[in-house]
């Protein structure tokens, strides 16, 4: 094994995070190569810096004027150079302090600084590389984002172990989660929870969140090492009272020495910047030292470096500027209100569906989506909606139909839902 | 195996590309999930499109005004939405036609369309996933970019098999390349060539390029299936007459049915946009059909989707706009001239080094860098330069010192090189 990897492992030893690392995670490191030497030079090379593979003109990077002219609002230095491997420091700190604002119970708890990834997918993929070995199980609700399969199973050859997301009462099936976690053999267990959920648009109630936390704690009490990844892509879009409005990460961060929590989130949905490709990975483990967080950060930087080198500088700069604007929170609130109004309208519309309609909504209370269970073949329904009505929806497992009401104007929702109901009858 | 992967393999069967796929490459596919269904809806959903996980307001994405105001030169649609998995179609076509302009002998040869990746590293990493299995050898010159080790060996557990880059006459060591390729057992062989080379700044002469091509052809004639990756990161920065100014990809594209050529390049250096994170993968194999390119493209899209989902939209939009500007080629030429002048100055300066100096330059004729061989310990020299003189350089294998003259003004080069020479004497 590489000597730097070995040294990082020594620093991590004894932590739950270390016990959970995959073979990839154990052997990974951040080399003392060009990037590390350039970072050192950035601090010390006050005379000439001939380290980095960029072309500069005086203190600024060279660039094509035709591009710079389109972005007059920020400096060349914010657009063209490489960003540091783990992200722009100021953005990382701001994202962490925003995390406290959004999750008051996280305040004062020990976590790593967020590391910037090229979007949430990249964040999940990096975490999967670092923590999942071939054949490992990862527990996932049976309603999940399809890319999980390609990442966990396709890329890392882990096995998705799913549990029914909803119970018969239309709530979260916490006991199924518990049973499934307990069915995993060995002394470690991994799970990923995505709230608000894609595709259903469901988030746990406060009570359900308590129950999930209790399940994980009891596993930890029994001596299991628990890796809990929270995929908080749609965080913040909570529309109902009684919904848990904090990330489970905040609850798990210092819950138990046998629990290691990983938060993957990003600007993609939270800041309405889908094409920016800016995500974050944040780690938290009860009793983890600063030195251990740093060692894990170095391993993560190795995974980032070897997959994408670093994330978009211009996107990080624009995001940072946008989040520091005085009007930032108002702008977010305005966007939230529009989505919330669409949500209320959708609730009203599906509330009017006949009780024997061939389409019945799954529980939803948050995010971008809601999902119907269809009595017929939902792929046929999707094609029919597309071909006959010019209406685009997503079919899942030939049984479910996902509607992204986030991308339809409120005044069109009634026609949309009536069309879907009508088409559902035609295809049956 | 997944049925879509199976179907793609059937389409590829018989091609050299198929024979070269790794286990990962064989099992990968692009799912008929959300992204594929959304792409279909984009064509057909003329009434409502409720497929994609974005929030829109009328026809445009929602966004934070504070961010948009900084980028007045392009439309919301060019900034905030997701880009397609393989990249913005117009940019892919433009990049391909630019490839013909830069490599006249490529014109009319059959290749895939370039697929957009999140920078060159991501391109190399995706190709490594698709074509290198654990234990496979990949032939690399002994002077190589350090990240190759982290990608090929760290990530994919392949083995780097290196050969001496230079012969005693100060030219490319083509016979060592040949011997090393021939030493690889089995019926396939993989290599990566990076010209202009990082760290040495060397590109082959026309004659050497002919020799490399002849070596690969003779291997192919003997029945070996050859994967040749050209890492063209620094393409175009050729400063001497007699240097081969085309990518080897152009020569290999249709050379032999047993040769499969993969070009990885990008905007990073070619368009002076390091922090944009836009790279490209382009495939070429003699006799490959359009259907086979498409099947391979789908597999590549699966690798992209599962690692980063898609690449930066704003970066692709800015790049496209910049490249379509009337002044584009003039702007590039201007930047080239500045770098060329620095190169000439560096040549002059190292030409004046005493023949018994403890630092001797390796051959260089292109790119951003030149590299010294040092008689002492180059890591000590690097630290000395940094601490005593505030001069940042890169040490490699404690033997070499890389100088990025691309990032030092021409009027400072004399002082830089004198300082380096002086420090080299002090550390010995």
């Amino acid at each position: 094994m590489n000597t730097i990897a070995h040294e990082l492992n020594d620093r991590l030893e004894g932590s739950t995070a270390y016990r959970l690392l995959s073979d990839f995670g154990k052997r990974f490191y951040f080399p003392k190569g060009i990037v590390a030497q350039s970072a050192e030079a950035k601090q010390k090379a006050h005379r000439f810096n001939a380290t980095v593979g960029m072309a500069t003109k005086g203190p600024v990077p060279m660039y094509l004027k035709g591009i710079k002219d389109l972005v007059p609002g920020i400096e060349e230095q914010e657009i063209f150079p490489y960003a540091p491997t783990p992200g722009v420091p100021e953005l990382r700190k701001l994202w962490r302090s925003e995390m406290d604002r959004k999750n008051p119970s996280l305040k004062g708890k020990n976590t790593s600084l967020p590391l910037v990834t090229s979007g949430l997918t990249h964040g999940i993929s990096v975490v999967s590389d670092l923590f999942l070995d071939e054949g490992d199980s990862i527990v996932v609700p049976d309603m999940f984002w399809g890319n999980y399969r390609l990442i966990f199973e396709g890329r890392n050859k882990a096995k998705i172990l799913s549990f029914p997301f909803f119970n018969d009462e239309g709530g979260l099936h916490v006991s199924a989660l518990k049973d499934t976690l307990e069915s995993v053999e060995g002394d470690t267990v991994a799970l990923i929870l995505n709230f608000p959920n894609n595709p259903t648009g469901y988030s746990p109630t406060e009570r359900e969140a308590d129950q999930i936390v209790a399940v994980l704690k009891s596993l930890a009490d029994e001596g299991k090492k628990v890796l809990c990844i929270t995929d908080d892509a749609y965080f913040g879009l909570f529309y109902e009272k009684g919904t848990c409005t904090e990330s489970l990460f905040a609850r798990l961060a210092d819950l138990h020495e046998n629990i290691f929590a990983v938060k993957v989130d990003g600007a993609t949905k939270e800041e309405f910047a889908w094409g920016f490709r800016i995500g974050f990975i944040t780690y938290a483990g009860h009793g983890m030292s600063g030195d251990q967080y740093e060692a894990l950060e170095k391993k993560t930087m190795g995974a980032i470096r070897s997959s994408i080198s670093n994330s978009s500088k211009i996107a990080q700069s624009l995001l940072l500027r946008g989040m520091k604007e005085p009007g930032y929170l108002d702008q977010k609130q305005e966007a939230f209100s529009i989505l919330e109004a669409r949500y209320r309208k959708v609730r009203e519309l599906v509330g009017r569906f006949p009780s024997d309609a061939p389409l019945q909504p799954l529980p939803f209370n948050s995010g971008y989506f809601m999902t119907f269970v269809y009595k017929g073949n939902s792929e046929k329904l999707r094609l029919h909606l597309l071909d006959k009505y010019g209406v685009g929806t997503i079919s899942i497992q030939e049984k479910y139909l996902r509607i992204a009401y986030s991308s339809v104007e409120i005044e069109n929702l009634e026609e949309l839902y009536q069309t879907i109901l009508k088409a559902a009858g035609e295809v049956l």
Side-chain angles (χ1 to χ4, degrees), chain A residues 33 47 93 101 140 212 225 257 274 286 303 313 316 337 345 359 367:
Chain A
R47 192 71 192 98
K93 283 176 206 146
R101 186 186 61 75
V140 179
I212 295 171
K225 305 284 186 185
E257 61 181 5
W274 304 272
H286 180 92
K313 172 77 168 191
Q316 292 182 67
S337 300
K345 184 73 189 173
L359 282 170

Side-chain angles (χ1 to χ4, degrees), chain A residues 346-413:
Chain A
V346 170
R347 278 238 78 90
E348 179 204 323
L349 292 166
V350 300
R352 280 196 248 142
F353 271 34
S355 62
D356 62 347
L359 282 170
Q360 291 299 329
L362 290 171
F364 67 108
N365 56 18
S366 55
Y368 280 12
F369 313 116
M370 56 82 56
T371 293
F372 287 112
V373 194
Y374 182 45
K375 276 189 185 153
N377 181 313
S378 69
E379 172 63 8
K380 282 187 190 158
L381 174 55
R382 177 184 80 86
L383 292 171
H384 183 66
L385 275 163
L386 202 54
D387 293 334
K388 181 158 178 195
Y389 297 102
V391 167
T393 58
I394 298 287
S395 74
I396 301 170
Q397 298 166 37
E398 305 199 342
K399 184 175 169 190
Y400 302 104
L401 197 74
R402 188 191 82 173
I403 317 298
Y405 60 81
S406 59
S407 51
V408 180
E409 293 291 290
I410 192 164
E411 58 268 27
N412 291 327
L413 287 170

Side-chain angles (χ1 to χ4, degrees), chain A residues 19-41:
Chain A
R19 180 64 196 81
L20 291 164
L21 284 176
S22 64
D23 171 63
F24 180 111
K26 288 222 171 64
R27 73 175 188 268
F28 250 66
Y29 63 97
F30 190 69
K32 296 203 165 84
I34 293 167
V35 174
Q37 294 182 30
S38 294
E40 214 180 325

Side-chain angles (χ1 to χ4, degrees), chain A residues 9-79:
Chain A
N9 290 343
D10 283 348
R11 289 162 66 183
L12 277 165
E13 212 169 335
S15 67
T16 294
Y18 180 69
R19 180 64 196 81
L20 291 164
L21 284 176
S22 64
D23 171 63
F24 180 111
K26 288 222 171 64
R27 73 175 188 268
F28 250 66
Y29 63 97
F30 190 69
K32 296 203 165 84
I34 293 167
V35 174
Q37 294 182 30
S38 294
E40 214 180 325
K42 215 172 181 180
Q43 304 300 318
K44 295 188 185 175
H46 53 83
R47 192 71 192 98
F48 307 122
N49 186 353
T51 56
V52 80
M54 281 180 44
T56 55
K57 218 172 140 180
V60 295
M62 288 184 187
Y63 54 83
L64 299 178
K65 192 174 164 298
I67 292 179
K68 176 65 187 78
D69 287 350
L70 301 167
V71 196
I74 58 176
E75 305 294 321
E76 302 90 328
Q77 290 284 25
E78 298 175 84
I79 302 172

